[in-house]
Amino acid sequence: MKNEVIAVIGWITLVQGVLGAGGQLFGDKAWGVLQQWWDIPTPGYVVLALAGIALAVWGETAKKRAKA
C-alpha cells in the first residue's frame, strides 16, 4: 500500500511540475493547481518534475519487487 501511495504522489508531482514549467515556457503563466496558491519560478517546477520522476520510479519499482 505504501509503495502505491508513493507512486501516485510521484505521478501527481511530475504532472504538476511539467504543467507549471510548460505553462511558463510556452504560455503566459503556469498551468496546473500549484500556481493558484504559490508563485513558483520555472526552475522550481523543473525540480518538482524531477522529484516526481524519482518518486514515481521508486514507487513503481517497489511495487514490482513486492509482487515478485
Side-chain angles (χ1 to χ4, degrees):
M1 179 70 177
K2 179 180 101 173
N3 299 331
E4 294 170 0
V5 172
I6 290 172
V8 168
I9 291 171
W11 285 110
I12 292 171
T13 305
L14 171 64
V15 168
Q16 288 300 310
V18 169
L19 284 174
Q24 288 185 347
L25 290 173
F26 302 113
D28 56 345
K29 65 177 189 168
W31 304 323
V33 177
L34 295 179
Q35 58 91 20
Q36 295 179 3
W37 296 305
W38 296 288
D39 184 26
I40 302 172
T42 304
Y45 280 114
V46 172
V47 169
L48 280 172
L50 292 174
I53 289 171
L55 286 173
V57 167
W58 180 27
E60 295 294 334
T61 55
K63 284 194 309 187
K64 288 182 183 177
R65 273 187 271 142
K67 287 183 181 180

